[in-house]
Amino acid sequence: MSGAPSRLGPREVSPSRRGTAFAVLETMRPRQWTKNAFVLAGLLFSGKWLEAAPVVAALAVTFAFCLVSGATYLLNDAADAETDRLNPRTAGRPIPRGELSITGARVASVLAGAAGIGIALAVNWESGAVLAAFAGLQLGYSNGLKHVLFLDVMIIAAGFVLRALAGSVAVETTLSEWLLLCTGLLALFL
């Protein structure tokens, strides 16, 4: 046993002992997945929340959005690895701290993105198409559009609108213009 004191508390686990799966999950930022609750708006406002098939469809598409949004976080962190190492706020993320390789993050991103779009397509092609549009929008945001003033805010708001739209097509109901407008305005406010 080494004489050097451990910096870890009694219940903490060394990052190297947690494994790649935990590093991938952490990089996918599950605490950000609450944003995907907007997918459930279609179920809520359609009045179909007591019917099994629409509930399963809405939950499946919500999970698909979690996978795809997590995939974009993986790609974003892989692209920003060098600058994240220099930023005290982001240096503790798995890629900058060396727990997840850039290649590993990219592979996990492709797998999560493909799985998410596959799940949405299994619900119906419209949900898959909306999720693919969301993925494209997020890729554009991560690859430079986040640095364009005003456009960055509009892309974030559009992401929320696409979530609500995907939930509506998942439960096969029409999304009212008012719900779209309110979702967009609420997203801009946030």
Side-chain angles (χ1 to χ4, degrees):
M1 179 181 243
S2 170
S6 173
R7 287 191 222 152
L8 298 176
R11 295 203 162 248
E12 293 182 64
V13 177
S14 167
S16 61
R17 289 185 184 173
R18 292 189 303 185
T20 304
F22 285 107
V24 167
L25 183 62
E26 182 182 342
T27 305
M28 291 177 74
R29 301 200 197 30
R31 46 180 198 280
Q32 297 291 332
W33 293 352
T34 56
K35 299 171 187 172
N36 297 317
F38 274 79
V39 174
L40 301 173
L43 178 67
L44 179 66
F45 291 109
S46 70
K48 297 181 178 184
W49 62 83
L50 295 177
E51 299 173 35
V55 169
V56 169
L59 291 174
V61 173
T62 301
F63 180 65
F65 264 82
C66 292
L67 288 173
V68 170
S69 62
T72 60
Y73 283 125
L74 284 160
L75 279 182
N76 188 54
D77 282 7
D80 293 345
E82 291 305 315
T83 55
D84 283 352
R85 281 187 187 98
L86 303 174
N87 184 338
R89 188 179 62 81
T90 57
R93 292 179 180 167
I95 296 172
R97 72 179 182 238
E99 190 175 343
L100 178 62
S101 71
I102 291 173
T103 301
R106 288 179 179 154
V107 168
S109 176
V110 169
L111 293 174
I117 291 175
I119 290 168
L121 285 170
V123 171
N124 59 35
W125 73 267
E126 294 96 339
S127 296
V130 174
L131 184 54
F134 174 83
L137 191 66
Q138 294 305 306
L139 286 173
Y141 180 83
S142 293
N143 288 311
L145 295 178
K146 63 184 171 186
H147 301 296
V148 178
L149 191 61
F150 185 68
L151 192 55
D152 63 337
V153 175
M154 296 308 293
I155 290 172
I156 292 169
F160 283 98
V161 172
L162 287 173
R163 286 174 174 100
L165 178 61
S168 292
V169 298
V171 299
E172 299 177 358
T173 189
T174 56
L175 185 63
S176 78
E177 295 83 11
W178 286 108
L179 182 58
L180 279 177
L181 181 65
C182 289
T183 300
L185 290 174
L186 179 61
L188 286 173
F189 178 73
L190 293 175

